[in-house]
Amino acid sequence: MSAVVDAIQLAPAAAAHGYWRSVFSRLTRDKVALTFFSILVLIFVAAIFAPLIAPSDPYASSILNRLKPIGTPGHLLGTDELGRDMLTRLIYGGRLSLLMGLAPVVLAFAVGSFLGITAGFVGGRVNTAIMRTVDVFYAFPSVLLAVAISGALGAGIVNALVSLTIVFIPPIARVAESVTTQVRSLDFVEAARASGAGAPTIIRVHIIGNVLGPIFIYATSLISVCMILASGLSFLGLGTKPPQPEWGLMLNTLRTAIFQNPWVAALPGMMIFAVSICFNLLSDGVRQAMDVTR
Amino acid sequence: MLAFVIRRLAYVIPISLAVSAVCFALVFLAPGDPLSAVMPADASADLVEKLKVDYGFDKPIPVQFGKWVWRALHGDLGMSLATGRPVNSEIARAISNTFVLAFFACSIGFTLGLVLGTVAGYFHGTWIDKTVTAIAVTGVSVPHYWLGMVLVIVFAVLYPVLPAMGMGAGGSAEWAWDWEHIRFVILPAATLSVIPTSIIARTVRALVADILQREFVIALIAKGLTDRGVFLHVVKNAAPTALAVMGVQLGYLLGGSILVETVFSWPGTGFLLNVAIFQRDLPLLQGTILFLAMFFVLLNVLVDILQTFVDPRIRRT
Amino acid sequence: MILQVKQLKKYFSTGKSFFGKSRGTVHAVDDISFEVAAGETLGIVGESGCGKTTAARLLMRLIEPDEGEVLLEGRRIGGAQGGMSLTEARRRMQMVFQDSYASLNPRLPIEASIAFGPMVHGVAEREALKRSRDLLARVGLEPSRFAARYSHELSGGQRQRVNIARALALQPRVVILDEAVSALDKSVEAQVLNLLLDLKTEFGLTYLFISHDLNVVRYMSDRVMVMYLGKIAEIGPVESIYRETGHPYTRALLSAMPTLDPDRRTTEPPLAGDPPNPIDPPPGCRFRARCAYAESVCERIDPADAVGHSGHLIACHMSIPRSGHTRQGLAQ
């Protein structure tokens, strides 16, 4: 055999890097993303450890103590319209609000990815059937659809979760289908077919790894929308029911109090806003980190 | 070209049917049997019988659906349980109010969004750009119902210059184009316009920045094209996408209006939905949702068709 | 004959609106038949759109043919009783694609990409990885340095070596090289071509070498097939094609090759007419719209392959005895 040595085997200085390692290192250098990530972690931790951190009982009401202003001794952030401590209710409120903001997206990610990847990979009539059905739900503005389904089902956490999941499945499924169709047409998938691999193997080895990334990024960008929508449903009386502490519901019940104690009334919304912005900026940061590596 | 338009219009039919099917199915989602969901609590036996026949509850579901669609096409959307009036008249009154609100919100949103986006795109990378981007991100992250409350707090409670709710003095339900009424629309319109402004600003900014650094523009400038000429080019190239986004935002306003109208007690379709939910008034809920959804679908079709006229690249055979 | 192709056809329909316009049909591959002997290299040349890539994908059964059959080692691929199953065929015939980057899964280290094929066919993972590393060494990429790398960490030439190793992992007898070196720099291209020649000798392979670069094809091939608009224009031994060209299209292609040799001047008229439309081709010879010698017989009858001189088939009336063409017999 003649010399088959590649004279231009220029070895890059760095050793072979895992893909996720480089994404992670890029992320940790993004100051903005890190700041808001820390804030988010703080809020999460506070919510999880609420019983340990909160000063009082979120359900303890006292008519005499109604709508005390911020800075009242014993009630750092004032009290609500039933005399309950605001700080406590805000911390506890994080549990339900975060749950209702995250769970639907997680569920929709699972279901939507499954539908979209199947449609994108199989193509043909299966694709048409799945995507046209998805399109029907996509034809509704999301708020309207959420309100419609929740309105019919009635108030309650589970109902709201169902409604929100249904709202977020179509956009995720569409993205999943689009990405899968693109990846499927790449040469390495053809090469895998040419090797004689069957569809399940190809999907497992070649498609999933390349497709879940973009879908995941897209899903994270939906979290803040879901949070606002979930709290919005509670605000309309379609989500959590009183006396449960949840930021949207608190906004609703405090609404009538804006003439007496506007600052306290605005507090729950501040929390929703803060979490929403954190998720948005974090999602942007993740997207940038994943982009540059490609 | 015409073929595309016709095809696009034809597509409306199956999607409308599917959308109405979803609306129709809402009744079956509600707890309890469908009949009680559409029946007033104090209904007489005669009324119950009449409803049974009208809605066809003893018939198979496709037949019920068919009857429902048939009635809807004739404008009959049932009777509201809460008010006892026909649903379609409730909607008719409310929709004009929502249009007024949407009109103001659109004007603010589109103008502001376009201006901010264009400016940011032209000054890409400078502090102007960063400021606009920050504003846009904030705008998309803020819960608009909360923002409404904050605006009310600032402008009606702390510094009472504007009314906190309603559409006219004394709970008026008639709109008129005078200052008496316009001062009521300022806060709700401002609130509603925040998200469209942000999204349009963001989109336009990306478009303008992208166009400006495309090679054909650089080539044109090198050939001596004036600033005005460049601007016209930017507009021509950005217009299709910008229009599409604006169309979608208009649709969003219909859905998003429910929360804002609730905050400001603005008597539009959103407020109607709120009433329907609060009173468990399923016919009203169904009818309003159907109306709004269909409006959205038709709006999208219109935007699609308009886009083909504006953007020659989309012309499909 | 290790590979026999008989009357292979593949048409694509271009969808049009359902108002008025009928659906056009692209005759991507239109009734081609040829044979490849074991151990030889058949070069396939033609302009973009002539159907060579579609033909390659038809042979690999990545697309289903509309008509015709492919026989590998005498057995029909996909045929029942005595035919060869698709899985078997995939083990015996492999392909190297043009885009070296898109051919590799960016998420897998390259040894996993190479080992994928054998593992699909039941080879244990350890054995497959060992085979993968052996092949890496064979194609000139030292396993200890390259096995765990990702495709974006390699150069174009290195990636194409990986693709070749991947194709060889299944120990095929036939390898289709679809523009395998077209995207590489010239110096790298030369190295990869020499690698291919060495591997062919070492493993006793048969190549189908698809390219639009006539010099490279001449270097690599024993026989050459010229395609035009989905049909075979000419097929024959390499030197025959290059020196005693029969078909006007081939001659035009060859004369378009730039050369510094003052003895090789362009004496033929250049290609006339417009580039062809592959949709709904007109009757008769496909090339007549651009041929300087087209006559009425060319319009009426599509020249089937005729026996030209010494195993050299030319699809042109000028080379077919008694075709009625005025220049018949004046094939030079």
XYZ file of all heavy atoms in Angstrom, chain B residues 231-297:
512
model
N -33.649 54.291 2.193
C -34.805 54.134 3.075
C -35.955 53.463 2.342
O -36.605 52.559 2.860
C -35.226 55.503 3.607
C -36.352 55.434 4.582
C -36.163 54.897 5.838
C -37.614 55.899 4.245
C -37.204 54.826 6.735
C -38.656 55.824 5.135
C -38.463 55.291 6.383
N -36.183 53.905 1.098
C -37.275 53.313 0.327
C -37.029 51.826 0.112
O -37.932 50.999 0.187
C -37.407 54.021 -1.022
C -38.104 55.380 -0.953
C -38.067 56.067 -2.313
C -39.561 55.196 -0.516
N -35.773 51.488 -0.154
C -35.435 50.070 -0.341
C -35.727 49.267 0.902
O -36.261 48.164 0.843
C -33.944 49.939 -0.673
C -33.714 49.742 -2.125
N -33.972 48.549 -2.756
C -33.282 50.586 -3.068
C -33.695 48.680 -4.042
N -33.278 49.899 -4.258
N -35.320 49.839 2.028
C -35.552 49.143 3.293
C -37.040 48.899 3.480
O -37.480 47.800 3.815
C -34.990 49.981 4.466
C -35.483 49.427 5.779
C -33.477 49.981 4.425
N -37.811 49.941 3.236
C -39.263 49.825 3.420
C -39.823 48.736 2.528
O -40.579 47.864 2.969
C -39.945 51.169 3.120
C -41.449 50.981 3.033
C -39.607 52.177 4.200
N -39.413 48.766 1.254
C -39.964 47.790 0.314
C -39.650 46.363 0.737
O -40.455 45.453 0.610
C -39.398 48.046 -1.084
C -40.410 48.647 -2.008
C -40.022 48.761 -3.454
C -38.720 48.143 -3.861
N -38.421 48.412 -5.276
N -38.451 46.159 1.250
C -38.062 44.805 1.597
C -38.618 44.362 2.938
O -38.820 43.185 3.175
C -36.526 44.693 1.628
C -35.972 44.487 0.236
O -36.001 43.391 -0.276
N -35.524 45.548 -0.369
N -38.806 45.321 3.817
C -39.285 44.947 5.152
C -40.794 44.850 5.198
O -41.357 44.175 6.060
C -38.790 45.971 6.179
N -41.453 45.553 4.260
C -42.911 45.652 4.328
C -43.650 44.319 4.449
O -44.512 44.191 5.306
C -43.430 46.440 3.125
N -43.362 43.327 3.602
C -44.164 42.097 3.662
C -44.158 41.455 5.043
O -45.209 41.154 5.604
C -43.486 41.177 2.635
C -42.700 42.056 1.776
C -42.315 43.232 2.562
N -42.962 41.242 5.583
C -42.895 40.592 6.887
C -43.542 41.457 7.952
O -44.269 40.960 8.824
C -41.430 40.319 7.272
O -40.741 39.843 6.136
C -41.357 39.317 8.382
N -43.271 42.763 7.884
C -43.854 43.657 8.885
C -45.377 43.565 8.837
O -46.043 43.499 9.874
C -43.383 45.088 8.640
N -45.926 43.555 7.632
C -47.370 43.454 7.493
C -47.899 42.161 8.090
O -48.915 42.147 8.785
C -47.758 43.506 6.007
C -47.926 44.900 5.420
C -48.226 44.798 3.935
C -49.067 45.614 6.129
N -47.188 41.087 7.810
C -47.625 39.795 8.337
C -47.669 39.824 9.853
O -48.639 39.385 10.481
C -46.686 38.689 7.854
N -46.612 40.366 10.452
C -46.561 40.422 11.909
C -47.700 41.289 12.441
O -48.369 40.948 13.411
C -45.204 40.972 12.387
C -45.206 41.185 13.870
C -44.105 40.009 11.995
N -47.946 42.395 11.772
C -49.014 43.291 12.229
C -50.358 42.594 12.160
O -51.189 42.722 13.055
C -49.025 44.564 11.378
C -47.906 45.503 11.742
S -48.228 47.163 11.140
C -47.197 47.218 9.712
N -50.557 41.840 11.093
C -51.810 41.126 10.970
C -52.008 40.145 12.112
O -53.079 40.075 12.721
N -50.938 39.416 12.423
C -51.026 38.457 13.519
C -51.308 39.176 14.825
O -52.109 38.723 15.647
C -49.715 37.644 13.618
C -49.704 36.825 14.879
C -49.567 36.750 12.411
N -50.666 40.318 15.012
C -50.859 41.071 16.251
C -52.290 41.549 16.377
O -52.845 41.594 17.483
C -49.892 42.263 16.304
C -48.458 41.856 16.521
C -48.326 40.928 17.697
O -48.761 41.232 18.806
N -47.742 39.766 17.473
N -52.874 41.925 15.255
C -54.274 42.339 15.289
C -55.119 41.193 15.831
O -56.012 41.395 16.660
C -54.716 42.722 13.877
C -56.096 43.329 13.742
C -56.213 44.542 14.632
C -56.327 43.739 12.303
N -54.807 40.005 15.363
C -55.531 38.853 15.867
C -55.297 38.654 17.355
O -56.217 38.345 18.105
N -54.060 38.878 17.775
C -53.753 38.733 19.196
C -54.608 39.681 20.022
O -55.071 39.340 21.100
C -52.270 39.010 19.455
C -52.050 39.640 20.806
C -52.052 38.861 21.951
C -51.911 41.010 20.938
C -51.890 39.436 23.195
C -51.755 41.587 22.185
C -51.751 40.807 23.309
O -51.608 41.389 24.534
N -54.794 40.878 19.497
C -55.549 41.874 20.244
C -56.944 41.374 20.574
O -57.497 41.677 21.615
C -55.651 43.168 19.445
C -54.374 44.001 19.398
C -54.561 45.211 18.513
C -54.002 44.437 20.796
N -57.503 40.602 19.651
C -58.828 40.069 19.921
C -58.807 39.134 21.111
O -59.693 39.147 21.949
C -59.350 39.305 18.704
C -59.577 40.137 17.465
C -60.038 39.238 16.348
C -60.615 41.192 17.749
N -57.774 38.286 21.141
C -57.698 37.355 22.255
C -57.239 38.037 23.525
O -57.782 37.811 24.595
N -56.229 38.876 23.400
C -55.673 39.510 24.586
C -56.609 40.517 25.213
O -56.473 40.871 26.374
N -57.608 40.931 24.441
C -58.485 41.973 24.956
C -59.251 41.508 26.177
O -59.670 42.315 26.992
C -59.457 42.421 23.869
O -60.375 41.378 23.608
N -59.439 40.209 26.302
C -60.267 39.747 27.406
C -59.712 40.198 28.746
O -60.448 40.677 29.610
C -60.460 38.212 27.379
C -61.181 37.768 28.638
C -59.138 37.483 27.277
C -61.537 36.303 28.634
N -58.391 40.078 28.903
C -57.814 40.424 30.194
C -57.851 41.923 30.435
O -58.209 42.387 31.512
C -56.382 39.901 30.267
C -56.331 38.375 30.402
C -55.003 37.831 29.935
C -56.588 37.982 31.826
N -57.502 42.684 29.409
C -57.480 44.137 29.586
C -58.889 44.666 29.814
O -59.129 45.526 30.663
C -56.822 44.807 28.361
C -56.979 46.308 28.429
C -55.365 44.441 28.302
N -59.832 44.132 29.034
C -61.211 44.612 29.203
C -61.737 44.283 30.590
O -62.559 45.017 31.147
C -62.118 43.999 28.133
C -61.871 44.593 26.759
C -62.847 44.059 25.729
O -63.819 43.385 26.125
O -62.638 44.319 24.535
N -61.253 43.173 31.147
C -61.668 42.827 32.501
C -61.133 43.845 33.493
O -61.849 44.319 34.374
C -61.139 41.432 32.871
O -61.586 40.506 31.898
C -61.633 41.015 34.245
N -59.865 44.192 33.331
C -59.270 45.138 34.263
C -59.990 46.482 34.218
O -60.261 47.111 35.231
C -57.773 45.335 33.931
C -57.177 46.451 34.764
C -57.005 44.045 34.160
N -60.303 46.920 33.017
C -60.879 48.257 32.866
C -62.392 48.261 32.739
O -62.988 49.310 32.473
C -60.272 48.939 31.633
C -58.841 49.319 31.803
C -57.833 48.463 31.376
C -58.493 50.511 32.408
C -56.513 48.808 31.544
C -57.175 50.865 32.576
C -56.174 50.024 32.146
N -62.999 47.113 32.911
C -64.447 47.003 32.752
C -64.902 47.635 31.443
O -65.908 48.343 31.384
C -65.175 47.685 33.928
O -64.820 47.068 35.132
N -64.148 47.385 30.410
C -64.488 47.921 29.093
C -65.505 46.982 28.443
O -65.236 45.803 28.268
C -63.231 47.984 28.244
C -63.424 48.612 26.912
C -63.729 47.971 25.757
C -63.349 49.992 26.584
N -63.840 48.857 24.727
C -63.606 50.119 25.220
C -63.075 51.141 27.318
C -63.607 51.339 24.571
C -63.072 52.355 26.673
C -63.337 52.447 25.308
N -66.687 47.483 28.106
C -67.755 46.575 27.660
C -67.580 46.029 26.249
O -68.382 46.272 25.360
C -69.003 47.471 27.737
C -68.485 48.853 27.528
C -67.119 48.891 28.134
N -66.528 45.257 26.073
C -66.313 44.669 24.756
C -66.500 43.160 24.819
O -67.029 42.619 25.783
N -66.055 42.467 23.767
C -66.243 41.018 23.719
C -65.456 40.322 24.812
O -65.884 39.293 25.343
C -65.785 40.444 22.361
O -64.531 41.026 22.024
C -66.808 40.733 21.297
N -64.296 40.853 25.164
C -63.516 40.256 26.237
C -64.285 40.285 27.547
O -64.339 39.306 28.289
N -64.881 41.409 27.803
C -65.668 41.552 29.016
C -66.855 40.592 28.980
O -67.231 40.000 30.002
C -66.146 42.999 29.142
C -66.726 43.323 30.468
C -65.927 43.362 31.594
C -68.082 43.588 30.610
C -66.456 43.662 32.831
C -68.620 43.889 31.845
C -67.820 43.923 32.963
N -67.397 40.431 27.783
C -68.506 39.500 27.606
C -68.096 38.090 27.990
O -68.826 37.355 28.668
C -68.939 39.539 26.138
C -70.393 39.273 25.826
C -71.261 40.329 26.461
C -70.594 39.297 24.314
N -66.883 37.724 27.544
C -66.377 36.401 27.897
C -66.257 36.268 29.409
O -66.577 35.221 29.985
C -65.007 36.171 27.253
C -65.013 35.729 25.798
C -63.601 35.724 25.248
C -65.624 34.352 25.670
N -65.776 37.318 30.027
C -65.620 37.286 31.474
C -66.966 37.031 32.148
O -67.095 36.200 33.040
C -65.035 38.621 31.942
C -64.475 38.519 33.332
O -64.508 37.463 33.949
N -63.948 39.616 33.830
N -67.969 37.759 31.696
C -69.319 37.560 32.229
C -69.760 36.126 32.016
O -70.285 35.470 32.915
C -70.303 38.533 31.537
C -71.735 38.155 31.857
C -70.020 39.960 31.979
N -69.512 35.637 30.819
C -69.940 34.282 30.502
C -69.299 33.268 31.433
O -69.927 32.327 31.889
C -69.580 33.964 29.048
N -68.013 33.478 31.711
C -67.320 32.539 32.592
C -67.867 32.645 34.001
O -68.169 31.646 34.658
C -65.815 32.844 32.600
C -65.224 32.565 31.230
C -65.107 32.022 33.659
C -63.842 33.092 31.083
N -67.996 33.851 34.451
C -68.429 34.083 35.825
C -69.816 33.508 36.064
O -70.113 32.974 37.122
C -68.395 35.592 36.092
C -68.551 35.953 37.525
C -67.651 35.480 38.468
C -69.595 36.752 37.957
C -67.786 35.808 39.801
C -69.732 37.081 39.288
C -68.836 36.618 40.213
N -70.678 33.623 35.061
C -72.056 33.167 35.212
C -72.253 31.757 34.715
O -73.377 31.263 34.673
C -72.988 34.077 34.398
C -72.723 35.545 34.558
C -73.644 36.150 35.567
O -74.147 35.440 36.436
N -73.875 37.435 35.441
N -71.177 31.088 34.295
C -71.302 29.759 33.713
C -72.319 29.777 32.581
O -73.183 28.908 32.492
C -71.728 28.720 34.775
C -70.783 28.567 35.926
C -69.505 27.856 35.556
N -69.723 26.565 34.905
C -68.878 26.001 34.066
N -67.763 26.602 33.775
N -69.153 24.820 33.533
N -72.221 30.769 31.754
C -73.183 30.962 30.668
C -72.597 30.369 29.396
O -71.926 31.040 28.615
C -73.425 32.469 30.498
C -74.535 32.754 29.508
O -74.929 31.848 28.745
O -75.004 33.896 29.502
N -72.851 29.097 29.204
C -72.163 28.398 28.122
C -72.545 28.851 26.713
O -71.672 28.971 25.857
C -72.380 26.880 28.252
C -71.136 26.056 27.905
C -69.906 26.587 28.603
C -71.350 24.610 28.263
N -73.806 29.111 26.431
C -74.142 29.598 25.081
C -73.401 30.896 24.755
O -72.895 31.046 23.647
C -75.656 29.838 25.146
C -76.124 28.980 26.240
C -75.019 28.906 27.238
N -73.337 31.783 25.732
C -72.643 33.039 25.483
C -71.160 32.793 25.244
O -70.538 33.351 24.346
C -72.834 33.984 26.686
C -72.279 35.392 26.527
C -72.937 36.074 25.341
C -72.503 36.200 27.792
N -70.589 31.934 26.049
C -69.177 31.601 25.906
C -68.906 30.994 24.529
O -68.033 31.429 23.787
C -68.763 30.609 27.005
C -67.296 30.179 26.990
C -66.409 31.318 27.429
C -67.088 28.971 27.876
N -69.713 30.010 24.192
C -69.530 29.323 22.926
C -69.639 30.275 21.756
O -68.801 30.284 20.852
C -70.630 28.259 22.786
C -70.129 26.868 22.627
C -71.269 25.929 22.330
O -72.444 26.276 22.455
N -70.936 24.739 21.946
N -70.730 31.059 21.798
C -70.984 31.955 20.675
C -69.879 32.980 20.508
O -69.410 33.241 19.391
N -69.446 33.554 21.615
C -68.411 34.576 21.519
C -67.101 33.980 21.017
O -66.425 34.555 20.162
C -68.185 35.233 22.892
O -69.443 35.508 23.485
C -67.396 36.503 22.765
N -66.730 32.834 21.560
C -65.492 32.188 21.130
C -65.556 31.885 19.640
O -64.602 32.116 18.900
C -65.233 30.893 21.918
C -65.063 31.173 23.392
C -64.030 30.165 21.359
C -63.678 31.585 23.793
N -66.693 31.357 19.210
C -66.826 31.017 17.800
C -66.652 32.258 16.937
O -65.892 32.253 15.958
C -68.208 30.402 17.536
C -68.467 30.066 16.070
C -67.535 28.958 15.618
C -69.910 29.650 15.855
N -67.318 33.310 17.336
C -67.227 34.538 16.559
C -65.784 35.030 16.475
O -65.265 35.322 15.399
C -68.120 35.602 17.202
C -68.107 36.898 16.464
C -68.897 37.075 15.343
C -67.282 37.935 16.856
C -68.894 38.272 14.649
C -67.258 39.131 16.169
C -68.064 39.293 15.056
N -65.135 35.100 17.641
C -63.770 35.620 17.652
C -62.820 34.717 16.869
O -61.955 35.178 16.130
C -63.281 35.771 19.097
C -63.954 36.899 19.885
C -63.516 36.867 21.333
C -63.628 38.234 19.261
N -62.979 33.399 17.036
C -62.085 32.479 16.343
C -62.245 32.599 14.830
O -61.267 32.644 14.089
C -62.344 31.041 16.792
N -63.481 32.651 14.382
C -63.719 32.780 12.947
C -63.148 34.079 12.417
O -62.545 34.124 11.342
C -65.233 32.749 12.665
C -65.868 31.400 12.872
S -65.021 30.133 11.936
C -65.134 30.795 10.312
N -63.312 35.125 13.204
C -62.758 36.407 12.802
C -61.259 36.299 12.612
O -60.682 36.797 11.642
C -63.085 37.451 13.874
C -62.783 38.856 13.454
C -63.711 39.580 12.727
C -61.573 39.450 13.761
C -63.438 40.874 12.331
C -61.290 40.740 13.368
C -62.231 41.455 12.647
N -60.605 35.621 13.563
C -59.169 35.433 13.514
C -58.756 34.650 12.271
O -57.794 34.998 11.575
C -58.724 34.705 14.786
C -57.245 34.637 14.973
C -56.475 35.780 15.004
C -56.619 33.417 15.148
C -55.106 35.712 15.196
C -55.253 33.349 15.341
C -54.489 34.486 15.365
N -59.482 33.574 11.989
C -59.162 32.760 10.820
C -59.262 33.592 9.550
O -58.358 33.604 8.709
C -60.120 31.545 10.727
C -59.994 30.875 9.370
C -59.805 30.543 11.818
